[in-house]
Amino acid sequence: QQQVKQSPQSLIVQKGGISIINCAYENTAFDYFPWYQQFPGKGPALLIAIRPDVSEKKEGRFTISFNKSAKQFSLHIMDSQPGDSATYFCAAAGGTSYGKLTFGQGTILTVHP
Amino acid sequence: GAVVSQHPSWVICKSGTSVKIECRSLDFQATTMFWYRQFPKQSLMLMATSNEGSKATYEQGVEKDKFLINHASLTLSTLTVTSAHPEDSSFYICSAPGQGRLEQYFGPGTRLTVT
């Protein structure tokens, strides 16, 4: 029940294209859903996050779509750039400690020039 | 965003020895910090919650006597891997909440290699 399932495992997109990564959760106590970007050998960096009271949040080229009834959320990267090539993790937290994040399995994104 | 640092960034130790990893919040105070472990090409797994002024709480399956955590001040938490073995080789990453409580900021990680 604590799992967050992420797909796809890897994704190849052409420059300028849209990258879409999906996540699904089971624990209804989760009420905070961040996305992190990680480059090799580095710590994860917070990209964007959403709470269940909204269905969509946009920050620059990054958009989170959230479907509470389906317990799913997704990250859309518009106008994907080679510099976006990294591993992306969705995560979820809730209850008394938002620092106890449950991470998805990760998606390796490659953007070809 | 808030800045979290870790030291060292990379450490090699011999099997049976202990190694200490530091996690610091540079421009903010953190009464709670979190330690994660990430094996190559895998996701992050929460190991423990570090609490300033009290004992750390460990996730199920994490040996508290092997992974000693000390939250010495409002800006410093340390993780000591005791009697390290090759299977402890991993990427250890700490995080701390920002002022908004929700956002968690991660350190750059420490690569531990046990030979």
Side-chain angles (χ1 to χ4, degrees), chain A residues 62-81:
Chain A
F62 301 96
T63 299
I64 299 179
S65 297
F66 185 82
N67 186 330
K68 186 175 180 178
S69 61
K71 291 187 285 186
Q72 295 176 347
F73 58 109
S74 61
L75 175 69
H76 295 230
I77 306 175
M78 311 298 290
D79 187 25
S80 299
Q81 299 297 312

Side-chain angles (χ1 to χ4, degrees), chain A:
Chain A
Q1 193 173 7
Q2 290 293 325
Q3 282 187 330
V4 176
K5 296 182 179 180
Q6 183 173 344
S7 64
Q9 187 174 359
S10 62
L11 180 62
I12 298 175
V13 174
Q14 293 296 317
K15 179 182 176 182
I18 303 173
S19 304
I20 302 174
I21 305 170
N22 302 297
C23 284
Y25 65 98
E26 298 175 353
N27 189 347
T28 54
F30 289 150
D31 63 353
Y32 173 66
F33 304 90
W35 284 89
Y36 285 87
Q37 177 190 59
Q38 186 179 33
F39 292 103
K42 306 294 183 183
L46 179 63
L47 269 180
I48 186 172
I50 198 168
R51 301 203 67 185
D53 53 342
V54 296
S55 60
E56 186 175 282
K57 183 176 181 180
K58 182 177 180 180
E59 290 184 1
R61 295 186 295 112
F62 301 96
T63 299
I64 299 179
S65 297
F66 185 82
N67 186 330
K68 186 175 180 178
S69 61
K71 291 187 285 186
Q72 295 176 347
F73 58 109
S74 61
L75 175 69
H76 295 230
I77 306 175
M78 311 298 290
D79 187 25
S80 299
Q81 299 297 312
D84 296 331
S85 297
T87 300
Y88 292 80
F89 292 96
C90 63
T96 58
S97 177
Y98 289 99
K100 299 177 73 171
L101 291 164
T102 299
F103 281 86
Q105 295 86 346
T107 296
I108 301 172
L109 172 65
T110 303
V111 182
H112 285 316

Side-chain angles (χ1 to χ4, degrees), chain B residues 23-86:
Chain B
C23 175
R24 293 182 185 272
S25 55
L26 294 187
D27 51 358
F28 65 105
Q29 293 181 338
T31 57
T32 303
M33 292 183 176
F34 302 88
W35 287 95
Y36 292 79
R37 179 166 53 183
Q38 185 178 31
F39 291 108
K41 299 189 183 303
Q42 294 189 22
S43 188
L44 288 82
M45 295 293 293
L46 179 66
M47 297 176 65
T49 302
S50 175
N51 303 296
E52 192 271 337
S54 64
K55 291 183 178 180
T57 55
Y58 293 81
E59 296 302 301
Q60 190 174 7
V62 177
E63 300 175 60
K64 63 179 181 180
D65 294 331
K66 181 171 186 61
F67 298 99
L68 301 180
I69 291 173
N70 181 32
H71 202 127
S73 73
L74 289 173
T75 60
L76 173 64
S77 173
T78 60
L79 168 68
T80 301
V81 183
T82 63
S83 187
H85 291 284

Side-chain angles (χ1 to χ4, degrees), chain B residues 89-109:
Chain B
S89 298
S90 188
F91 195 49
Y92 291 88
I93 316 171
C94 67
S95 73
Q99 288 188 348
R101 187 172 74 95
L102 285 178
E103 296 83 7
Q104 304 297 316
Y105 295 95
F106 284 82

